[in-house]
Amino acid sequence: MGCDARSVAAAVVAAAGVVGEHRDELVRLDQAMGDADHGENLRRGFGFVVSALDESTPDTPGAVLKLVASVLISKVGGAAGPLFGTSFLRAAGAVGAAEELTPELVSAALGAALGGVVARGKAELGDKTMVDALAPAASARGADIPTLLTAAAIAADAGAESTIPLVARKGRASYLGERAIGHLDPGARSVALLLRSFANSAMGL
Amino acid sequence: MGCDARSVAAAVVAAAGVVGEHRDELVRLDQAMGDADHGENLRRGFGFVVSALDESTPDTPGAVLKLVASVLISKVGGAAGPLFGTSFLRAAGAVGAAEELTPELVSAALGAALGGVVARGKAELGDKTMVDALAPAASARGADIPTLLTAAAIAADAGAESTIPLVARKGRASYLGERAIGHLDPGARSVALLLRSFANSAMGL
Amino acid sequence: MKKIINNPADVVTDALRGLAAAHPALLRVTRDPAVVAWAGSPVAGKVAVISGGGSGHEPLHTGFVGPGMLDAACPGAVFTSPTPDQVQAAAAQVDGGAGVLLLVKNYTGDVLNFETAAEFLDNTRTVLIDDDVAVQDSSFTAGRRGVGATVLVEKIAGAAAAAGADLDTCARLAEAVVAGARSMGLALTAPTVPHVGSPSFVLPEDEVEVGIGIHGEPGRRREPLTDASALVAALLEPILDDLPFVAGDEVLLFTNSMGGTPLLELYLAHGIAEELLAARGITVIRRLVGPYVTSLDMQGISLTLLRLDPALTDLWDAPVHTAALRWGM
Amino acid sequence: MKKIINNPADVVTDALRGLAAAHPALLRVTRDPAVVAWAGSPVAGKVAVISGGGSGHEPLHTGFVGPGMLDAACPGAVFTSPTPDQVQAAAAQVDGGAGVLLLVKNYTGDVLNFETAAEFLDNTRTVLIDDDVAVQDSSFTAGRRGVGATVLVEKIAGAAAAAGADLDTCARLAEAVVAGARSMGLALTAPTVPHVGSPSFVLPEDEVEVGIGIHGEPGRRREPLTDASALVAALLEPILDDLPFVAGDEVLLFTNSMGGTPLLELYLAHGIAEELLAARGITVIRRLVGPYVTSLDMQGISLTLLRLDPALTDLWDAPVHTAALRWGM
Ligand SMILES: Nc1ncnc2c1ncn2[C@@H]1O[C@H](COP(=O)(O)OP(=O)(O)O)[C@@H](O)[C@H]1O
Ligand SMILES: Nc1ncnc2c1ncn2[C@@H]1O[C@H](COP(=O)(O)OP(=O)(O)O)[C@@H](O)[C@H]1O
Ligand SMILES: [Mg+2]
Ligand SMILES: [Mg+2]
Ligand SMILES: [Mg+2]
Ligand SMILES: [Mg+2]
């Protein structure tokens, strides 16, 4: 009933399902401001992730996260591939070789994930990107993993919603100027969806 | 009050006006079975004819018809250019150097026009072409020119209508097979329009 | 109608101005009557090769003017064959004294206008191109229309003329290409003719027109929009059966976009056609893939197969330099 | 959605199969990861030039692979930049030992994926292409995107590499082209992405999107659909003002179709642009007219101007043999 490699892998598989369910929504969000591929990119990417996890489940939570990272980086492309990939890679680094995750490790992983996205994408809060969802999520705290991830998911949701009135300064939506106002950022939405799914998985532990 | 060069030229100018008014109708007819240019071809061609007649009116009816022929042949292109052009050229030949047209000459002109179209286009009655309007028109008789041309116009109208149920064997509509059934042939329609206009001009003599 | 044009009546003239500007060293473009001639013409002692037809099929024919292909092209109004005056003016410009070969797509208008011009010209030969198997072949009708094979005829006859072949030889080779080439096309959408302003026909989202020509005329029949494999097979089967093409044949496969179909789909269709031919034991030894015989903005494709022999293959491979087709120079 | 495709998820793979079939002697196409390489690569001692990006812009980039231009192209999913694996595989295939030049359109996804690949490669230089004046240039944003200039960068850097220039020189020339090139585009219709099935945006019959990119993203603003003269001027003015281009400049003018716009309209637009430039005292000494940087079936055009000097002009003129651009060989 601890959060071991198997639980983390199961959570990733569940998240892949959520991505699949929301594929069309994410495509539509990206169609409004971008190139209409975000939902398809993540669906494709998490499809490969599930296949990879089917073949072999790594031993530690960190190794699972690293596998997810390498599949996303090598199979997705676009902005989402490297950014999500890097976030999982940094998260893997943060949890190291631990056999089971703790709230502290999860918190560290979220912070590292944010650091990775910012390092790669150079976006700041308010640039209307996934950072607007991930940054508040990384600041969430909780005494246990379900509580922590639920708080993170709620923060990510609010952060994603906060992108609606913004003009974009990074990513494809930055080409639109004022016309980006009124639209939810697809990457922020997918961060929120993933965290909500992780929180739900954690509740079931 | 006879049918001299000036009357023939005036009739041609009036016919050009009718072509202009029916340009869109002829385009639509040609759009249904062909390439949607018949009305535009005739409008363009008769526009050049009017300009040519503006510059100088030839001395005889035959010379007017010959001028019309040469403008249509050299400016229109498509099937209509050579076919209408040849019909006017043969009609010019039939009326020769006469100063004024007589019913006999008009009748000979219509017969020659038909002969010209058939010689060039090799269409037979029932092939769903302008021949289906011109052939019955060429058989019309009348004691004076207005009567003759009115009979010809009525015959051409009926001939044009008779193309509706036909499958085409010549021209672009022949590519459609059974799908040509139910459509009026644009060239037959324009023959009928021209003859109706000539009849109206003759009435006003 | 959404088009990048000024006055619809002037589109051909305006486009010719742009063509002349874009290819100043290659082309000599004259107006009234409109002729696009190779700047290097006339070449004394060389057969002059001339084609033409209605505009709206670009790059056909103007994009194929240049050394190794056409000496001149006569662009008519949109979808309207050119006038005899244009053909006569073209011949006057490019005739090098060895005769003039007129390559004419088999449409009533084209045939009549070129025929009239030919009456005024000495030493011409006319070859009619009629490769579209969608049209029933019959001596009682206007016969088959000329479509994709036109590019192949122009290339091969042009190469023969460039190599010094005489008029009869050039005409014989052009006829050989016509004899060995068959085509068929389909449309997903209709073109919009500038002087009309509305699509030439209306096609539901789930239907294709099969057996279309290149002038926005409806096709032989409508069929459900199926997947690419079925669509390509529906074009290829009637082509193969018609000549027929048989196992052991060496062919050129020309996969043509009608204008609005993007290269991604075109190459996809081409790949399927190659696989179907391989399965029949027919060897594709040359290919052409692109929008070469178009119908304005129509979405759709056509396939053309030409049976090759070594002589035709060499002529296909010979250097050519035109706006739309270029290799070896 | 009306497209000639089988499974929407397979369009790129299926199209690559057709591309390979169509150009067996020119291209070596590998899958997993997808790479289109010149069959003659690697050339020992020659700088390898690699580009890539999302699919749906054909012939960019795969149509520009061959001697005198790209050694390899990495086609991503439709409108999705390729993965680092593709770039690494391409480099492994075509690296001739003299270094690898990566030509990257400035989009976040392209930059990040090529950057990741470059971390694994020795002796690479990356040049970012960002020529679209429709995007405000600012250090706080993702910056300008790469559009039409990409073809010019690929041609000129490819020619330099073919001529034996070293990696730094090739990179410097590519940067010179980026520095001297500016573009802007407009759309009359939106593209339909295969995996989406509906047009990327909906544009009324009487409006155009001005300042569009090549991924179906909306433009900077909507404007009434005016005549071609006004549309061309609306693209050209911001381009001229940006560099700026001034009287006396010698330029290459690239009039590009976004895919669905027929050649008739494209040449018409090109003619207007030539006239506007002549009126400004800017001399067009080279041109490119055609659908080279497309956005699937989108109707629209873009203009790209490049200020030329004799060195760049010579490299532009150098022989090239690719599926989409070919001369001198
Ligand atoms: N520089 C950046 N930093 C952080 N996130 C970014 C950046 N650029 C883009 N994104 C995120 O990526 C999302 C788009 O992903 P996707 O559509 O898959 O890639 P692409 O933009 O290449 O098509 C955006 O909604 C945004 O959240
Ligand atoms: N062989 C023919 N004989 C007589 N009339 C013909 C023949 N072919 C076509 N036509 C007539 O020409 C008309 C079409 O003219 P038009 O649209 O101007 O030319 P095109 O078919 O070249 O576009 C048809 O409606 C038909 O009446
Ligand atoms: Mg996207
Ligand atoms: Mg017509
Ligand atoms: Mg016509
Ligand atoms: Mg993308």
Side-chain angles (χ1 to χ4, degrees):
Chain A
M1 116 122 238
C3 192
D4 60 4
R6 188 178 299 225
S7 321
V8 173
V12 168
V13 170
V18 168
V19 163
E21 284 158 28
H22 290 266
R23 182 257 187 209
D24 290 355
E25 177 200 338
L26 295 171
V27 162
R28 266 198 312 279
L29 290 176
D30 198 23
Q31 195 174 36
M33 293 193 302
D35 57 354
D37 61 350
H38 187 61
E40 174 65 12
N41 288 347
L42 288 191
R43 183 203 63 75
R44 193 163 35 82
F46 276 92
F48 285 116
V49 165
V50 170
S51 306
L53 289 173
D54 267 359
E55 266 176 38
S56 69
T57 302
D59 292 343
T60 61
V64 172
L65 296 173
K66 196 165 176 188
L67 180 68
V68 174
S70 83
V71 171
L72 292 181
I73 290 173
S74 70
K75 292 292 191 183
V76 176
L83 291 173
F84 277 96
T86 301
S87 68
F88 277 95
L89 194 62
R90 295 284 183 101
V95 305
E99 294 287 330
E100 298 214 347
L101 295 185
T102 61
E104 292 69 32
L105 285 175
V106 171
S107 188
L110 286 174
L114 172 64
V117 168
V118 170
R120 297 300 309 264
K122 314 266 181 326
E124 295 176 14
L125 210 60
D127 281 359
K128 196 171 184 131
T129 70
M130 58 175 73
V131 168
D132 295 339
L134 195 50
S139 308
R141 292 290 170 262
D144 52 30
I145 294 180
T147 311
L148 171 59
L149 281 176
T150 301
I154 290 170
D157 253 333
E161 294 295 318
S162 79
T163 63
I164 296 178
L166 299 176
V167 166
R169 275 191 298 261
K170 285 278 151 47
R172 218 170 271 285
S174 67
Y175 310 139
L176 266 74
E178 307 275 308
R179 291 179 80 180
I181 293 173
H183 297 285
L184 181 63
D185 177 65
R189 174 69 178 143
S190 53
V191 165
L193 285 171
L194 289 176
L195 286 171
R196 168 71 57 198
S197 177
F198 291 153
N200 285 342
S201 294
M203 311 271 221
L205 282 180
Chain B
M1 127 114 236
C3 192
D4 60 5
R6 187 179 300 227
S7 321
V8 173
V12 168
V13 171
V18 169
V19 164
E21 283 158 28
H22 290 265
R23 182 256 187 208
D24 290 356
E25 176 198 339
L26 295 171
V27 161
R28 267 198 311 279
L29 290 175
D30 198 23
Q31 195 174 37
M33 293 193 301
D35 57 355
D37 62 349
H38 187 60
E40 174 65 13
N41 288 347
L42 288 191
R43 184 203 61 76
R44 192 164 35 86
F46 276 92
F48 285 116
V49 165
V50 170
S51 305
L53 288 173
D54 268 358
E55 267 175 37
S56 69
T57 303
D59 293 342
T60 61
V64 172
L65 295 174
K66 196 165 175 185
L67 180 68
V68 174
S70 81
V71 171
L72 292 182
I73 291 174
S74 70
K75 292 291 191 184
V76 176
L83 291 173
F84 276 96
T86 302
S87 68
F88 278 95
L89 193 62
R90 295 285 184 100
V95 304
E99 293 288 330
E100 297 213 344
L101 294 185
T102 60
E104 293 69 34
L105 285 175
V106 171
S107 188
L110 287 173
L114 172 63
V117 169
V118 170
R120 296 300 308 267
K122 314 267 177 333
E124 295 176 14
L125 211 60
D127 281 358
K128 195 167 185 137
T129 70
M130 58 175 72
V131 169
D132 294 339
L134 196 50
S139 309
R141 292 292 170 260
D144 52 31
I145 294 180
T147 311
L148 171 60
L149 282 175
T150 301
I154 290 170
D157 252 333
E161 293 295 317
S162 78
T163 64
I164 295 178
L166 300 176
V167 166
R169 276 191 298 263
K170 285 278 153 46
R172 216 170 273 285
S174 67
Y175 309 139
L176 266 73
E178 308 275 310
R179 291 179 80 181
I181 292 172
H183 297 286
L184 181 62
D185 177 65
R189 173 69 178 144
S190 52
V191 166
L193 285 171
L194 288 177
L195 286 171
R196 169 70 58 197
S197 177
F198 291 152
N200 285 342
S201 294
M203 310 271 223
L205 283 180
Chain C
M1 169 178 54
K2 300 191 93 167
K3 291 194 181 290
I4 301 169
I5 59 175
N6 288 327
N7 183 350
D10 298 334
V11 281
V12 174
T13 309
D14 291 350
L16 288 177
R17 194 175 308 119
L19 184 74
H23 304 285
L26 179 68
L27 302 176
R28 185 173 64 233
V29 179
T30 49
R31 279 191 276 161
D32 269 329
V35 172
V36 175
W38 169 34
S41 68
V43 176
K46 185 185 95 66
V47 169
V49 185
I50 295 176
S51 190
S55 291
H57 310 300
E58 290 69 25
L60 190 78
H61 302 266
T62 53
F64 300 127
V65 173
M69 210 158 167
L70 298 179
D71 291 276
C74 305
V78 171
F79 291 173
T80 301
S81 25
T83 63
D85 293 40
Q86 288 178 262
V87 180
Q88 286 169 248
Q93 273 197 45
V94 303
D95 186 353
V100 176
L101 179 64
L102 302 175
L103 301 176
V104 181
K105 302 195 296 304
N106 186 39
Y107 298 96
T108 307
D110 295 69
V111 171
L112 293 178
N113 286 285
F114 274 89
E115 191 174 273
T116 304
E119 284 171 23
F120 290 92
L121 300 172
D122 301 326
N123 203 19
T124 68
R125 287 282 306 268
T126 297
V127 174
L128 290 185
I129 303 160
D130 59 347
D131 53 313
D132 191 343
V133 302
V135 176
Q136 245 89 63
D137 203 2
S138 152
S139 51
F140 300 108
T141 66
R144 287 180 164 171
R145 61 197 159 200
V147 287
T150 312
V151 183
L152 316 183
V153 176
E154 293 179 358
K155 171 67 182 79
I156 286 171
D166 65 16
L167 183 57
D168 281 342
T169 307
C170 290
R172 198 174 36 69
L173 285 160
E175 281 160 359
V177 177
V178 174
R182 294 293 185 277
S183 300
M184 186 149 153
L186 61 82
L188 305 187
T189 62
T192 296
V193 178
H195 65 246
V196 180
S198 61
S200 294
F201 51 83
V202 178
L203 206 49
E205 262 294 294
D206 56 353
E207 285 184 15
V208 292
E209 283 271 353
V210 179
I212 45 100
I214 56 175
H215 298 85
E217 61 273 51
R220 291 289 299 190
R221 61 180 192 279
R222 290 194 177 182
E223 297 207 344
L225 173 62
T226 50
D227 65 12
S229 296
L231 293 175
V232 170
L235 294 184
L236 200 55
E237 297 296 335
I239 291 172
L240 294 174
D241 293 349
D242 192 89
L243 192 61
F245 293 89
V246 296
D249 279 352
E250 295 191 325
V251 300
L252 183 157
L253 168 60
F254 169 24
T255 305
N256 178 56
S257 158
M258 303 306 300
T261 287
L263 274 190
L264 193 75
E265 294 172 47
L266 198 65
Y267 272 110
L268 191 152
H270 180 80
I272 295 168
E274 293 250 5
E275 278 163 21
L276 292 174
L277 289 169
R280 296 269 204 138
I282 296 167
T283 309
V284 181
I285 60 168
R286 293 293 183 277
R287 353 358 226 180
L288 184 66
V289 183
Y292 290 109
V293 182
T294 65
S295 185
L296 294 168
D297 52 343
M298 180 189 262
Q299 292 203 0
I301 59 169
S302 67
L303 295 178
T304 299
L305 271 194
L306 167 64
R307 190 188 285 150
L308 287 171
D309 61 27
L312 294 183
T313 308
D314 283 349
L315 290 165
W316 176 257
D317 289 343
V320 60
H321 174 183
T322 68
L325 213 65
R326 184 167 180 182
W327 54 73
M329 64 200 290
Chain D
M1 169 177 53
K2 301 191 92 167
K3 291 195 181 289
I4 301 168
I5 58 174
N6 288 327
N7 183 348
D10 298 335
V11 282
V12 174
T13 308
D14 291 350
L16 288 177
R17 194 176 307 119
L19 184 74
H23 305 284
L26 179 68
L27 302 177
R28 185 174 64 231
V29 179
T30 48
R31 279 190 276 159
D32 268 328
V35 173
V36 175
W38 170 33
S41 67
V43 177
K46 186 184 96 64
V47 169
V49 184
I50 295 177
S51 190
S55 291
H57 310 299
E58 290 70 25
L60 192 78
H61 302 266
T62 52
F64 300 127
V65 173
M69 211 160 166
L70 298 180
D71 292 275
C74 306
V78 171
F79 292 173
T80 301
S81 24
T83 63
D85 293 40
Q86 288 179 263
V87 180
Q88 285 171 249
Q93 273 197 46
V94 303
D95 186 352
V100 176
L101 178 64
L102 302 176
L103 301 176
V104 182
K105 303 196 296 305
N106 185 39
Y107 298 95
T108 306
D110 295 69
V111 170
L112 293 178
N113 285 286
F114 274 89
E115 192 175 272
T116 304
E119 284 171 24
F120 290 90
L121 301 170
D122 301 325
N123 203 17
T124 67
R125 288 283 304 268
T126 298
V127 174
L128 290 185
I129 303 161
D130 59 348
D131 53 313
D132 191 342
V133 302
V135 176
Q136 245 90 63
D137 203 2
S138 153
S139 51
F140 301 107
T141 67
R144 287 181 164 172
R145 62 197 159 200
V147 286
T150 312
V151 183
L152 316 183
V153 176
E154 293 179 359
K155 171 67 182 78
I156 286 171
D166 65 17
L167 183 57
D168 280 342
T169 307
C170 291
R172 198 173 37 69
L173 285 160
E175 281 160 359
V177 177
V178 174
R182 294 293 185 278
S183 301
M184 185 151 156
L186 62 83
L188 304 188
T189 62
T192 297
V193 177
H195 65 245
V196 180
S198 61
S200 294
F201 50 84
V202 178
L203 206 49
E205 261 295 293
D206 57 354
E207 284 183 16
V208 292
E209 283 271 353
V210 178
I212 45 101
I214 56 175
H215 298 86
E217 61 272 50
R220 290 290 299 192
R221 60 181 191 278
R222 291 195 174 181
E223 297 207 343
L225 172 62
T226 50
D227 66 12
S229 296
L231 292 175
V232 170
L235 294 184
L236 201 54
E237 298 296 336
I239 291 172
L240 294 174
D241 294 348
D242 192 88
L243 192 62
F245 294 88
V246 296
D249 279 352
E250 295 191 324
V251 299
L252 183 156
L253 168 60
F254 170 25
T255 305
N256 177 56
S257 159
M258 304 305 302
T261 287
L263 274 190
L264 193 75
E265 293 172 47
L266 197 65
Y267 273 112
L268 191 151
H270 180 81
I272 295 168
E274 292 249 8
E275 279 163 20
L276 292 174
L277 289 169
R280 296 269 203 138
I282 296 166
T283 309
V284 181
I285 59 169
R286 293 293 182 276
R287 328 36 208 174
L288 184 66
V289 184
Y292 291 108
V293 182
T294 65
S295 185
L296 295 168
D297 53 343
M298 180 189 263
Q299 292 203 0
I301 58 169
S302 67
L303 295 179
T304 299
L305 271 194
L306 167 64
R307 191 188 285 150
L308 287 171
D309 62 27
L312 295 182
T313 308
D314 283 350
L315 290 166
W316 176 256
D317 289 344
V320 59
H321 174 184
T322 68
L325 213 64
R326 184 169 179 182
W327 54 73
M329 65 198 293

